[in-house]
Every structure is written in structure tokens, then in C-alpha cells.
Amino acid sequence: MKQLMDFLRLVIKSRLDHELGKTETLEKPQMELHFDPEAFLGKTIKSLDIRNRDLLLLALAVAPHIDPGLLGKSIQTYYPEGADFPEFGGVKTKHHRGIVPTGETLLYLLAGTDATTRKKHLTVFQESILFKKNLIYLSQTQEEEPFFAGPLCLEQEFADKLLLEAVRPPKPSTGFPAELIETELEWADLVLSDKTLAQIKSLENWLTYNEALMESWKLRKKVKPGYRVMFFGPPGTGKTLTAGLLGKYTGKAVYRIDLSLMVSKYIGETEKNLSRLFEKATGKNWILFFDEADALFGKRTNVRDAHDKYANQEVAYLLQRIESHPGLVILASNFKSNLDTAFTRRFQSIIDFEAPGASERMLLWEKNLPATIPLEESLEIRDLAKKYPLTGSNIVNIVQQVGLKTLASGDEVIREEILLQCIRNEIQKEGKMH
């Protein structure tokens, strides 16, 4: 990073020396730059072939993070008493006390004040690989302001990798209404029918091999980007766990979308929230998991009033964004009948998570009851599996309650009476839910 900042100082000095008459011609910075090929900065510069004005753009965007006073000190050298210097651009922000460079700053360092040269270098905002890949972007300006007057911003994940060599997960907010799903469980802990597991394997294959397929089979222009799948099934049948395991075993972050933060009673706001979500996710290789999707994306209604009209527009907008998103999007719903058929036609895969049968329930009991605590002799788990139609999450809840009661009573075995009471409590709780 020091070399990058030294390069920026040299460029600023060269430009100001020329513009203020200290040199007749603009001296190109002469500097040998050698970046660590093992660090993220060095790898990025090499892989994207960053040089010349792209290197200057990168240095400017990084400067506030590494050397907050660099721009201010550079100007002060030439204007020790201070001066109005609009050509240089830059803004002061609420919390950052240094100068935050803008597109105007980049343009000035590239072209000075010569109108013809400035027009020539305006192409940087379209041609730079850093702008094209959205690694650096211009913050929004007011309509009456030049678009390049906006601050130069590092995309958050790119900034984290440059500065921390790691990525901080985004915080849930109205701009990103989602939470990271992580699990310590394994595929072996997921109890599903063979048919459902085979369908899930196809998703894992897409996540692992899609990029290689697009290149080697030349399908990129023929196949729509991304993959869209629907999970149907009652609560507790493993939909969320499956999404978490897909991310875990393919090295991708999984974000569960909080629909309550996305839906707005104000016309047009839901679409804005959706737009911010997908823009945030673009290029991140994340898995987006819309849980209880029918809450927002249910059957479109007949248009009876303005509210119905705009509700249908929200559904149409969502369809459009999902189809253009390049990553994996999972919509989960408890009831297949709740979702519009317009959605099902647009999805590559529809996976049913059926309530577990007796054999699956037997496996769930065996996997969740502790091997170190014996059962009372009268307890037959096979009978429980046949008699009580419980889901995986029901069984986990029951085992937790049984464990607490067993520890509290001081028993060294799991009592039939306690286990049956916890089963009844769970069934009663489910009944109240309905």
C-alpha cells in the first residue's frame, strides 16, 4: 500500500507543478512499482492488468482508507495559506476529516484544466476495468451536478479484501434485509427422501461446476445467468438447513432474506428495496434464500383497486430481477398452492421437502438422541417414530427439552414419561400455531 500512496503523491506533484507553472511540460511519474504477488492487492493488479490511469484511480479510492491526510497535505504544500481549488474536486464528509476524492479529482490529475484533454479522459468512467467490475463506483450526485462530482467509493467486499485480506459480512438493514446462515451440521445430519437428496445434489453440481461448464461448453450466450430453485414443504423439514449446507460445502455465503424489512406500504418502495438487495448481491457469488416466500410472492390477484395493481407490479419486478441475477436464488414456501404459476415456469428446479415418514423419523430420533445417555428399558424409539408425525425441527426441540428435564432431575437415563410429556408439549404447541 505504501508504494501505491507514494505513486499517488508523485502524480499529484507532477500535475500541480505543471498547472502552477513550475514545469513547462507535464512530467510523467518515474517510479518502479513492485507489489507483493501473494497479497490481494498484488494479485488484483496482476489479474486485471491494472496500470496507468486505472492504477491512479485505485490509488485515489484507497487513499482515504490508508492515508486520510494525503490529499489535504499535498494541496497545502502549494497553498500554505489555503485557497479555493474547485478544479481538484474532493469532498468533506460527516465523519471523515480528510478530503475524500471524487471523479473530478481523478479527472484533474489526468487532464488538468485543458478542456480538450478533459473530454478525452472522460472515457475513464466507462472504460476502466475497475468501474466495469463495480470494484470502484461513483456515489450518486444531484441532478444539477456533474455525475463525476460524486465521491470515489470502494465496493465493500473489495475494500475488505484490499485492507483486511478478509470480508466482513454485511449487517442486516433496510438496504440489505438479510442475515448470514451458517451451520455446524453436515450432509449426514440432513434426513430427506432419496428423491429430494438427488435433486439437491444437482444444485451442488451447479454451484461447483457452472463456471467451468459455461466456458468449456460455450454456453454463456445461450443460457440465462444464475439458477432459480423453489423449495416446498412444511416448516421443520430441512429447507433452511439445506440452503446452509449448500453454501458450506461450496464455499459460498448464504443470506436469508427478511421479507418483513422489504415489503413497504408505500408505492414503489418495495421495488426499491428489492433493487438495493440485488445490486448488493451482484458479483458476490452469494446464495440468496427467500424464506416463506409466499408472504410476498403469493398468487397475483385480480386488479380490483390501485393496491392490487401495484402489488402485481412488485411480483413482476421480482420475477425480472430473479431472472437476471447471476447467482443461485432459492425461494422457500410451506405450501405449493400459495405461489403463482408464473414463478414455477421460470425456475429450473422445484424440490418438495415432504414431511418425514416413519423410517425418516426413526433416523432423526437416532441422530438427535445422545449416544452417551441410555434410554429407559420400556422406551421403544421405533414405536415413537411410527406413532408421532413429527418433523426434524420438532424432534430437535423435544430432545432439547428432554435433556433439560433429565439433567434437572438428576436421572442417568432418559425416562419414557419425560420423553412422552415433551412430545405432547411439542404437539400442543404446533396445534396452537394452527
Side-chain angles (χ1 to χ4, degrees):
M1 287 295 182
K2 183 180 182 302
Q3 284 193 81
L4 201 58
M5 294 302 97
D6 288 342
F7 170 71
L8 178 56
R9 288 188 188 90
L10 202 57
V11 172
I12 294 172
K13 182 179 184 302
S14 176
R15 173 56 64 189
L16 289 174
D17 281 350
H18 177 60
E19 291 293 318
L20 298 178
K22 290 191 175 184
T23 57
E24 289 188 12
T25 57
L26 181 68
E27 294 182 7
K28 291 187 177 181
Q30 300 297 317
M31 185 177 179
E32 288 285 332
L33 295 170
H34 301 285
F35 297 100
D36 181 357
E38 298 303 314
F40 181 76
L41 174 63
K43 290 177 182 176
T44 301
I45 288 172
K46 182 179 179 181
S47 65
L48 298 181
D49 193 24
I50 295 175
R51 50 187 168 178
N52 303 329
R53 63 183 190 178
D54 278 345
L55 191 63
L56 174 59
L57 168 59
L58 179 61
L60 271 175
V62 167
H65 302 268
I66 296 297
D67 193 343
L70 189 153
L71 298 182
K73 290 174 185 175
S74 297
I75 294 172
Q76 193 175 26
T77 302
Y78 293 84
Y79 296 100
E81 304 299 323
D84 188 22
F85 195 2
E87 296 87 354
F88 192 80
V91 294
K92 292 278 190 176
T93 61
K94 183 177 179 181
H95 300 292
H96 185 82
R97 297 183 63 188
I99 296 174
V100 175
T102 61
E104 182 69 78
T105 312
L106 173 65
L107 201 55
Y108 176 76
L109 294 178
L110 289 171
T113 55
D114 180 72
T116 302
T117 311
R118 281 172 66 86
K119 186 176 184 301
K120 171 187 169 186
H121 279 290
L122 276 170
T123 57
V124 69
F125 300 108
Q126 293 175 300
E127 295 174 354
S128 169
I129 188 68
L130 295 166
F131 283 130
K132 283 182 178 179
K133 289 188 170 290
N134 201 38
L135 302 176
I136 296 174
Y137 63 94
L138 283 171
S139 186
Q140 289 291 317
T141 59
Q142 298 297 318
E143 288 185 10
E144 68 274 14
E145 298 173 327
F147 72 89
F148 49 81
L152 293 171
C153 303
L154 291 172
E155 188 275 325
Q156 182 195 313
E157 185 173 323
F158 182 57
D160 285 350
K161 289 178 179 178
L162 277 176
L163 305 171
L164 306 173
E165 297 280 339
V167 178
R168 297 169 297 149
K171 294 179 181 178
S173 65
T174 52
F176 189 71
E179 63 172 335
L180 184 66
I181 298 177
E182 295 179 295
T183 181
E184 294 182 6
L185 298 178
E186 312 292 337
W187 281 122
D189 297 305
L190 187 64
V191 178
L192 297 170
S193 69
D194 291 341
K195 176 185 174 183
T196 303
L197 284 171
Q199 289 177 297
I200 291 167
K201 182 65 180 176
S202 69
L203 295 184
E204 191 178 7
N205 288 341
W206 184 87
L207 288 165
T208 305
Y209 301 112
N210 179 62
E211 277 303 309
L213 178 68
M214 292 299 104
E215 290 300 321
S216 61
W217 287 48
K218 310 296 183 187
L219 293 178
R220 201 172 296 280
K221 294 180 180 179
K222 302 174 184 177
V223 178
K224 286 184 179 180
Y227 200 92
R228 294 156 289 283
V229 61
M230 307 189 83
F231 287 177
F232 289 112
T237 49
K239 299 188 293 294
T240 302
L241 175 58
T242 297
L245 288 169
L246 282 169
K248 179 178 180 177
Y249 281 93
T250 56
K252 293 172 174 56
V254 182
Y255 285 96
R256 176 165 48 194
I257 312 305
D258 185 347
L259 295 172
S260 66
L261 291 176
M262 296 195 70
V263 182
S264 174
K265 63 182 179 180
Y266 299 107
I267 291 172
E269 282 301 309
T270 300
E271 290 96 324
K272 287 181 182 177
N273 292 339
L274 281 166
S275 180
R276 283 194 291 265
L277 168 73
F278 282 103
E279 284 172 10
K280 185 80 172 176
T282 298
K284 303 295 194 310
N285 219 11
W286 294 338
I287 298 171
L288 298 181
F289 179 68
F290 290 86
D291 201 5
E292 298 183 17
D294 45 320
L296 177 61
F297 314 135
K299 284 192 173 180
R300 286 181 280 189
T301 61
N302 293 323
V303 178
R304 296 186 300 272
D305 55 29
H307 181 271
D308 291 339
K309 177 184 176 182
Y310 286 109
N312 289 346
Q313 285 182 8
E314 290 171 358
V315 173
Y317 183 77
L318 174 80
L319 283 171
Q320 173 195 333
R321 292 310 300 255
I322 284 179
E323 283 201 293
S324 63
H325 183 68
L328 175 61
V329 177
I330 302 172
L331 269 67
S333 173
N334 296 338
F335 307 104
K336 184 180 285 191
S337 60
N338 280 10
L339 281 158
D340 192 328
T341 54
F343 276 88
T344 57
R345 288 196 302 270
R346 288 170 165 85
F347 282 69
Q348 283 102 323
S349 182
I350 295 176
I351 302 177
D352 283 312
F353 286 72
E354 299 172 347
S359 59
E360 286 88 14
R361 292 196 293 270
M362 182 69 188
L363 270 176
L364 287 164
W365 280 115
E366 289 175 347
K367 287 178 180 293
N368 286 287
L369 283 167
T372 54
I373 311 295
L375 302 175
E376 192 174 15
E377 286 186 11
S378 59
L379 251 179
E380 281 291 341
I381 295 302
R382 189 174 300 278
D383 293 340
L384 297 179
K386 289 179 181 178
K387 185 175 181 181
Y388 298 105
L390 300 164
T391 66
S393 63
N394 292 149
I395 290 171
V396 169
N397 289 342
I398 291 165
V399 170
Q400 182 183 24
Q401 293 305 312
V402 169
L404 293 172
K405 289 180 183 294
T406 301
L407 289 172
S409 67
D411 281 329
E412 295 184 358
V413 298
I414 295 173
R415 302 289 178 191
E416 182 178 14
E417 179 185 356
I418 290 177
L419 182 54
L420 290 175
Q421 181 58 56
C422 291
I423 289 174
R424 285 192 290 271
N425 291 344
E426 184 70 12
I427 291 172
Q428 185 181 23
K429 182 194 76 175
E430 292 288 303
K432 285 180 180 177
M433 287 172 65
H434 298 289

